[in-house]
């Protein structure tokens, strides 16, 4: 929204009148909130003001370029959208072509346009998410949101334009921002934004990741550590785990884990598995692939990690519950251990001792990911927590 407000102010200084209304404004005037009705009402409102253009912005569009509006205006196109793409995907806010029955068909130059190998203002059959409509075209599209040929507001709008010989364009001369994929977004889980890495990567990284990772440390032989996530990520992950409240009883000796049919846990901990946390395991494995694999490969250059995983779980250590974990090997090729809270502040004691290396790691801060080989070489133990609560996220990779 900041990019829109700043862009509108710049244009006003140049005598160009652009009106930006929220959906809540239109809903209030209509008494209901169907999207076609809202957009039709906004067109009518803009037409009622002298020499006013209209910018329609959907909630899935994130504009980061403060010159977006002026760039659209300067393109001298009557109906134009800035190119927006879901990060890391082929999903954008335009179609390069359309099939005979009116649905999406990829054009030969689609990939070159979304990757900005080809630059320009492209005449296309479909645009969405952010659309600038100039004042001279508003009267001609007054009824564009009334048809229900496809029962989709954007498809119906673009179909109306095509049928009435009105051109629409997508502009990719500059980076303007990105799209968010709302698929799977829900308000039910605690902190739902935690789950949206694959759907809204730039926003997720700005919210939860360190701007610069590193440095890659080696506190013990073949034990590496790097700061990847920020305190907000760790705090919210703890809150999700506690809200789910699916903690196993833990203990120091072999016992059956009743979350799995017939599974015997040799070294039990008080833990919650990520699949219990509204299936955060899927998000976590995407994070491992995109954010942690590069560090693992830097530490072990001839090793090629993949997303196969064994148990993924949040562990809780407390003096009155289970304060430590006896020496053990992990059932993994390598193990990732993410520190979720602060030693000396949230808890006293704790840490990990590697017996064969005669080395102890006790100073990992929230967001630090420690990784090491799992089976043969790195026998280790969880040291006793004497006060407070220690949380870590443990991942057994390539079991």
């Amino acid at each position: 929204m900041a990019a829109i407000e700043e862009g509108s102010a710049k244009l006003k200084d140049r005598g160009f009148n652009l009106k930006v209304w929220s959906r809540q404004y239109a809903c209030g005037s209509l008494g209901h909130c169907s999207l076609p009705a809202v957009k039709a009402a906004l067109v009518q409102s803009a037409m009622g003001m002298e020499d006013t253009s209209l910018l329609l912005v959907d909630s899935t569009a994130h504009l980061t370029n403060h010159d977006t509006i002026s760039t659209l205006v300067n393109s001298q196109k009557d109906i134009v959208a800035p190119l927006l793409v879901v990060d890391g995907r082929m999903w954008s806010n335009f179609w390069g072509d359309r099939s005979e029955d009116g649905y999406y068909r990829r054009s030969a130059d689609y990939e070159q346009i979304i990757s900005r190998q080809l630059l320009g203002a492209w005449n296309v059959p479909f645009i969405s998410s952010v659309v600038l409509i100039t004042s001279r075209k508003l009267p001609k599209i007054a009824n564009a949101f009334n048809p229900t040929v496809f029962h989709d507001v954007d498809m119906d709008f673009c179909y109306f334009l095509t049928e009435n010989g009105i051109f629409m364009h997508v502009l990719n001369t500059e980076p303007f921002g990105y799209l968010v994929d709302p698929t799977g977004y829900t308000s039910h889980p605690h902190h739902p934004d935690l789950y949206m890495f694959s759907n809204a990567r730039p926003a997720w990284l700005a919210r939860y990741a360190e701007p610069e990772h590193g440095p890659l440390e080696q506190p013990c032989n073949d034990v590496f550590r790097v700061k990847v996530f920020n305190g907000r990520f760790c705090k919210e992950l703890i809150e999700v785990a506690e809200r789910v409240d699916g903690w196993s009883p833990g203990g120091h000796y072999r016992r059956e884990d009743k979350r799995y049919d017939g599974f015997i846990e040799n070294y039990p901990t008080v833990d919650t598995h990520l699949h219990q946390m509204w299936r955060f395991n899927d998000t976590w494995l995407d994070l491992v692939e995109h954010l942690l694999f590069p560090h693992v490969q830097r530490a072990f250059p001839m090793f090629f990690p993949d997303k196969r995983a064994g148990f993924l779980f949040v562990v809780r250590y407390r003096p009155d519950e289970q304060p430590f974990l006896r020496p053990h090997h992990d059932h993994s090729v390598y193990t990732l251990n993410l520190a979720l809270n602060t030693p000396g502040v949230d808890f006293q004691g704790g840490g990990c001792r590697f017996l064969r290396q005669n080395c102890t790691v006790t100073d990992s801060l929230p967001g630090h990911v420690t990784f090491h080989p799992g089976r043969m070489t790195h026998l280790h133990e969880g040291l006793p927590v004497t006060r407070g609560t220690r949380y870590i996220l443990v991942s057994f990779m390539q079991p």
Side-chain angles (χ1 to χ4, degrees):
M1 196 65 185
I4 295 173
E5 291 170 350
E6 183 172 321
S8 300
K10 287 181 180 179
L11 289 171
K12 189 174 183 180
D13 293 340
R14 292 165 45 192
F16 187 90
N17 189 18
L18 178 76
K19 189 65 179 175
V20 181
W21 288 288
S22 68
R23 183 172 181 177
Q24 287 75 16
Y25 166 87
C27 289
S29 65
L30 290 171
H32 61 88
C33 241
S34 84
L35 194 52
V38 166
K39 292 193 174 184
L42 294 176
V43 170
Q44 293 297 325
S45 296
M47 287 172 55
M49 304 180 69
E50 185 178 356
D51 195 27
T52 296
S53 296
L54 177 66
L55 183 71
L56 298 172
V57 183
D58 293 347
S59 60
T60 54
H62 286 235
L63 297 175
T64 57
N65 185 336
H66 288 198
D67 293 321
T68 297
I69 299 175
S70 60
T71 303
L72 295 177
V73 170
N74 291 336
S75 73
Q76 299 185 342
K77 303 300 181 185
D78 287 323
I79 301 179
V80 59
L83 173 66
L84 302 174
V85 182
V86 177
D87 189 69
R89 312 255 287 274
M90 299 293 288
W91 181 349
S92 76
N93 66 326
F94 85 98
W95 297 353
D97 197 1
R98 191 171 60 182
S99 65
E100 289 75 10
D101 56 358
Y103 289 88
Y104 172 82
R105 182 163 61 193
R106 181 173 294 183
S107 62
D109 55 2
Y110 180 80
E111 292 186 35
Q112 292 172 297
I113 293 174
I114 68 167
S115 63
R116 300 186 63 245
Q117 297 175 44
L118 296 176
L119 300 177
W122 306 92
N123 186 359
V124 295
F126 176 89
I127 55 176
S128 66
S129 305
V130 178
V131 178
L132 176 71
I133 307 168
T134 62
S135 57
R136 60 180 167 266
K137 271 294 184 282
L138 282 172
K140 295 185 178 181
I141 65 141
N143 298 315
F145 295 105
N146 295 332
T148 55
V149 177
F150 297 99
H151 302 286
D152 176 275
V153 63
D154 296 318
M155 291 180 66
D156 284 330
F157 171 67
C158 294
Y159 179 78
F160 178 92
L161 298 184
T162 302
E163 289 298 298
N164 287 275
I166 301 172
F167 290 159
M168 66 198 96
H169 293 80
V170 65
L171 188 70
N172 73 338
T173 52
E174 300 178 25
F176 295 107
Y178 58 91
L179 279 184
V180 169
D181 172 13
T183 307
Y185 190 85
T186 173
S187 60
H188 295 305
H190 204 44
H191 300 304
D193 288 335
L194 273 175
Y195 298 76
M196 296 300 290
F197 173 72
S198 295
N199 303 61
R201 191 176 303 175
W204 196 100
L205 292 172
R207 187 180 182 92
Y208 292 120
E210 291 291 322
E212 299 290 336
H213 297 183
L216 183 63
E217 306 168 339
Q218 188 173 187
C220 306
N221 185 36
D222 282 341
V223 177
F224 295 89
R225 181 172 65 185
V226 62
K227 185 85 156 56
V228 176
F229 304 99
N230 63 23
R232 180 178 193 160
F233 174 78
C234 299
K235 177 177 179 292
E236 291 187 8
L237 200 60
I238 291 172
E239 291 174 356
V240 171
E242 289 291 358
R243 187 180 180 92
V244 168
D245 196 22
W247 303 103
S248 61
H252 297 293
Y253 302 99
R254 297 182 71 210
R255 64 183 302 157
E256 182 181 1
D257 187 337
K258 295 185 178 179
R259 293 170 294 188
Y260 302 93
D261 186 28
F263 177 73
I264 302 298
E265 194 171 9
N266 290 314
Y267 299 90
T269 52
V270 175
D271 57 56
T272 293
H273 285 226
L274 298 193
H275 70 80
Q276 297 176 264
M277 296 165 54
W278 293 291
R279 297 202 62 79
F280 185 70
N281 53 311
D282 295 332
T283 299
W284 177 245
L285 289 177
D286 284 339
L287 293 171
V288 169
E289 179 181 15
H290 291 282
L291 303 186
L292 302 185
F293 277 4
H295 298 299
V296 174
Q297 288 186 297
R298 269 205 299 158
F300 302 102
M302 297 302 293
F303 176 64
F304 300 97
D306 62 45
K307 287 174 67 172
R308 285 178 297 139
F311 292 125
L312 311 169
F313 52 101
V314 174
V315 180
R316 184 174 72 186
Y317 289 109
R318 286 177 174 168
D320 60 347
E321 198 171 57
Q322 180 175 344
F324 67 92
L325 182 61
R326 58 195 176 93
H328 63 282
H329 288 291
D330 292 336
H331 183 53
S332 66
V333 170
Y334 68 101
T335 296
L336 301 168
N337 186 319
L338 168 63
L340 295 177
N341 58 346
T342 307
V345 177
D346 300 310
F347 61 91
Q348 297 291 340
C352 184
R353 171 173 164 76
F354 295 90
L355 281 71
R356 186 167 180 264
Q357 288 74 20
N358 192 27
C359 180
T360 301
V361 180
T362 59
D363 58 349
S364 293
L365 298 174
H368 267 134
V369 179
T370 302
F371 54 93
H372 57 83
R375 291 189 180 90
M376 293 290 292
T377 59
H378 283 64
L379 182 71
H380 58 285
E381 62 181 328
L383 298 175
V385 170
T386 59
R387 182 185 65 80
T389 303
R390 178 189 179 213
Y391 295 94
I392 57 175
L393 190 163
V394 177
S395 306
F396 293 160
M397 302 303 298
Q398 296 176 222

